[in-house]
């Protein structure tokens, strides 16, 4: 304990410079812990949202027949409808009460009666601004859903009361609550992508940044500790003296960082991020997170300080006499070699067409490779910097460049402490580009036409024409398949579409040889032809009218063909599908057994909302599938992109903070050397050129390595992601511009190291 108190006394009584250094260490640790708390809080926020979703989950809300028959008396009925409203999912829970009481879900005091609705606050506001939305929510608003029943403040959610007759297609409802939700905020597989990216973008630079903060003013501190060692202090005592300062700064910074996180959480949660909002309580830190911040950060500082003080404790005379440092050993290349080996292996596999199919192995190897390459970048920079400095110093005739390179040769780690955070920032930026490219492949939808699929059995006969004649609907068609004998193992069957040539022409980008009123086979270019659809073959189609009468219509596959193609995400028909004119279908009859009504409109968000509101105006209980659009999946991608942007902002904050802290520390540490050169006659212009070259050249080497290894890591990630894009050439210019900007910032930051005045007091003791 004596050594610890001695360290604290030296901290408080060793001058203003030492206190400034301690303040830098504390502020740096606070920034690092705040960023760490943000990263660790994200999974708990997502888990809290999913827990509230699971608590309100109807036990049989899908109405797909997975529960007991809905005709049992006394049971409640329910089903769920999820529709896109702009870029957000609108969830509607239709409920019909039975004679047996049912506990309401969290957030509302009781279940709605027929004609009543409960809506979320965000949906309440949307109803005021968009009157057409009322068709999706039939009934009178009885109350608002409280925060206990909502995943996040901006959720569009509603409970709609209905009669048992209206909801007869629903499943049994005996209560609310399940162990997990059907629509998680982020799927587990997508959450793995997020964790992988956060580890590379935030946690790896954060560990380096905290290490930099723990090693501020390393040279002056080592000389002071070496003096204590020469005065008789033991090795362990020397380590404890050093630990008193580093751990005290880290612990104080951890407390300040947690306080800063609380303020950030309270402020940002109330404002919200694009596509992602949460309640302030969701962002509360768990005990394990607090422990990781309050113990992990000081433990890292202790470990870094232990390594840094080793030389002063073992060879104090060498430290006091400022002996030349030993060159960095080649073991720093050790993590880089296996990391690049994994990355290059995946790149070669992608280039040769041997894409790996073992996703389990890739999910382990890719994060491991990214961590190894990131650590290897940090440890290998001194090796490459020293080798380049020696070569340039021997060949250059410039005094400024020669002085700069000799300094980097003697002390290769000095300038690199300033550059490391920026190098990792560029490496992480390239990796994040790969994740965004993969997500873009999933969410990209450039089709000008949107299809809507409705089960024909769910549409009453008198409402079919109402759906087809909605103002925003461009065209419609009925899709069906021929009847098959259930007794046969593989009965032959063909597809058919009931539509006129004009109806197809409204959605088709290609329609040739179509004659109104004449059946034909549709041939889709580039699509596999259905071999069952042979000209002359006959297939039965079962029909039914509103009175329940049934008929069988025999359809012969015609000889004539029509070339057809459209711009929808999922094509309306397959090659070989038979086009049946509506005039050939008996009046009042329509196909039964899995037939669907397909509607088409523009894919503009306003048109999509208008169609969905129009369908709800005809019958709000109709289940509509927006073909090619998974609104819950798109919402997840929006959340992931927002969190990736948060990660990049945190990475930028860490990189800039690491640069500012290290550059300020280096400016203080180098004052005596700059003063000595100035007294020897070096001009300020020469000294500035030396300082800029000292930082820019090793930084340039590091950034070149970061760009190359980052693009390789990005490509290998895309190869293992299963997408169609392996090589992201479009992101390279942005990455190079970012690297150039980093070099310019570092060069400007190196200029203040040379002041206007010469203070001989700085070298008095030397």
């Amino acid at each position: 304990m004596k050594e610890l108190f001695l360290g604290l006394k030296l901290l408080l009584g060793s001058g203003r410079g030492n206190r400034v250094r301690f303040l830098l260490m504390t502020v740096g640790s606070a920034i690092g812990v705040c960023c760490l708390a943000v990263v660790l809080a994200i999974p708990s926020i997502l888990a809290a949202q999913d827990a509230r979703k699971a608590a309100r989950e109807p036990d049989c809300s899908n109405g797909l027949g997975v529960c007991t028959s809905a005709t049992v008396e006394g049971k409640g009925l329910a089903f769920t409808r999820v529709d896109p409203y702009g870029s957000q999912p609108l969830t509607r829970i239709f409920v019909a009460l039975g004679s047996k009481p049912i506990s309401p879900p969290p957030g509302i005091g009781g279940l709605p009666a027929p004609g009543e609705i409960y809506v979320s606050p965000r949906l309440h506001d949307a109803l005021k601004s968009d009157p057409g939305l009322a068709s999706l929510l039939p009934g009178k608003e009885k109350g608002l859903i409280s925060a206990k029943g909502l995943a996040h403040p901006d959720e569009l959610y509603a409970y709609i009361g209905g009669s048992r007759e209206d909801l007869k297609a629903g499943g049994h409802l005996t209560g609310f609550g399940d162990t997990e939700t059907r629509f998680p905020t982020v799927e587990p597989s997508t959450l793995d992508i997020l964790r992988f990216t956060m580890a590379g973008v935030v946690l790896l630079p954060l560990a380096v940044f905290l290490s930099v903060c723990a090693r501020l003013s390393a040279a002056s501190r080592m000389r002071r500790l070496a003096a204590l060692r020469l005065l008789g202090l033991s090795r362990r005592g020397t380590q404890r003296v050093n630990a008193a300062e580093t751990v005290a700064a880290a612990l104080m910074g951890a407390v300040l960082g947690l306080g800063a996180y609380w303020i950030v959480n309270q402020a940002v949660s109330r404002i919200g991020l694009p596509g992602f909002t949460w309640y302030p309580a969701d962002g509360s830190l768990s005990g394990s997170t607090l422990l990781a911040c309050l113990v992990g950060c000081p433990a890292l500082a202790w470990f870094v300080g232990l390594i840094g003080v080793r030389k002063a404790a073992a060879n104090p005379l060498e430290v006091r006499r400022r002996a030349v440092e030993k060159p960095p050993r080649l073991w720093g290349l050790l993590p880089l070699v296996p990391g690049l080996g994994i990355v290059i292996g995946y790149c070669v596999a992608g280039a040769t067409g041997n894409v790996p199919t073992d996703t389990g192995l890739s999910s382990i190897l890719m994060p491991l490779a990214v961590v190894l390459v990131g650590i290897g970048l940090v440890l290998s920079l001194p090796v490459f910097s020293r080798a380049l400095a020696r070569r340039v110093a021997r060949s250059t005739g410039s005094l400024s460049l020669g002085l700069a390179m000799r300094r980097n040769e003697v002390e290769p780690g000095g300038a690199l402490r300033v550059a490391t955070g920026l190098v990792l920032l560029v490496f992480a930026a390239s990796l994040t580009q790969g994740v965004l490219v993969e997500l873009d492949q999933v969410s990209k939808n450039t089709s000008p036409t949107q299809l809507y699929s409705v089960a024909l059995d769910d549409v009453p006969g008198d409402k079919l024409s109402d759906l087809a004649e909605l103002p925003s609907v461009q065209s419609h068609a009925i899709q069906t398949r021929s009847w098959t004998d259930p007794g046969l193992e593989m009965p032959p069957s063909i597809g058919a579409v009931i539509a006129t040539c004009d109806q197809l022409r409204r959605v088709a980008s290609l329609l040739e040889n179509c004659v109104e009123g004449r059946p034909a086979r549709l041939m889709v270019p580039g699509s596999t032809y259905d071999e069952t659809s042979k000209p002359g073959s006959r297939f039965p189609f079962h029909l039914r009218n509103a009175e329940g009468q049934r008929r069988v219509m025999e359809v012969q596959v015609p000889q004539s063909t029509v070339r057809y193609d459209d711009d929808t995400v999922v094509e309306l028909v397959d090659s070989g599908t038979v086009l049946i004119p509506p005039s050939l279908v008996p009046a009042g009859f329509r196909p039964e057994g899995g037939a669907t009504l397909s509607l088409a409109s523009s894919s503009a968000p306003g048109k999509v909302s208008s169609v969905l509101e129009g369908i709800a105006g005809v019958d709000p209980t109709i289940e509509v599938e927006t073909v090619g659009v998974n609104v819950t999946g798109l919402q997840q991608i929006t959340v992931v992109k927002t969190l990736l942007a948060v990660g990049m902002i945190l990475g930028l904050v860490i990189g800039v903070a690491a640069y500012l802290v290290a550059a300020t520390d280096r400016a203080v540490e180098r004052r005596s050397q700059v003063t000595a050169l100035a007294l020897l006659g070096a001009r300020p212009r020469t000294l500035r050129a030396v300082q800029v070259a000292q930082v820019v050249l090793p930084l340039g080497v590091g950034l070149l390595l970061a760009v190359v290894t980052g693009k390789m890591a990005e490509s290998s990630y895309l190869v293992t992601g299963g997408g169609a894009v392996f090589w992201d050439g479009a992101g390279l210019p942005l990455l190079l511009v970012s690297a150039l900007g980093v070099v310019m910032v570092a060069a400007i930051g190196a200029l203040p190291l040379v002041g206007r005045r010469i203070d001989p007091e700085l070298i008095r003791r030397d």
Side-chain angles (χ1 to χ4, degrees), residues 89-180:
L90 168 59
T91 305
R92 298 174 293 156
I93 307 294
F94 287 85
V95 178
L97 298 176
S99 59
K100 296 183 179 180
I102 299 175
S103 299
I108 59 177
L111 290 173
E116 296 177 346
I117 61 173
Y118 285 92
V119 296
S120 64
R122 176 70 178 84
L123 189 54
H124 172 78
D125 296 337
L127 279 168
K128 293 180 179 179
S129 59
D130 184 5
L133 191 58
S135 60
L136 291 166
L137 305 166
K140 182 179 179 181
E141 184 179 314
K142 186 177 181 181
L144 299 179
I145 306 172
S146 68
K148 292 182 179 180
L150 298 174
H152 54 83
D154 287 345
E155 190 173 22
L156 301 175
Y157 207 85
Y159 294 97
I160 303 173
S163 66
R164 296 180 64 83
E165 178 64 25
D166 294 336
L167 275 63
K168 60 185 178 181
H172 281 170
L173 177 67
T174 57
F176 291 86
D178 203 344
T179 55
E180 58 184 24

Side-chain angles (χ1 to χ4, degrees), residues 311-389:
K311 184 177 180 181
N315 301 299
L317 282 175
E318 184 177 322
V319 173
R320 290 300 300 175
R321 293 173 179 175
R322 298 187 178 181
V324 177
E325 292 186 8
K326 294 180 181 180
R329 298 179 181 179
L330 295 179
W331 67 264
L333 300 175
L334 190 59
L336 191 62
V337 174
L340 285 179
I342 297 173
V343 167
I344 292 173
Y346 278 125
C347 290
V348 172
T352 56
N354 301 313
V355 180
T357 57
D358 189 353
T359 56
L361 181 62
S362 298
S363 64
I364 297 174
L365 288 181
M366 269 311 302
L368 178 63
V370 169
V371 173
L372 288 175
V373 172
I375 295 175
L377 277 176
V378 176
L379 298 180
S380 62
L381 284 179
V383 179
F384 292 125
S385 177
R386 184 175 184 275
L388 179 65

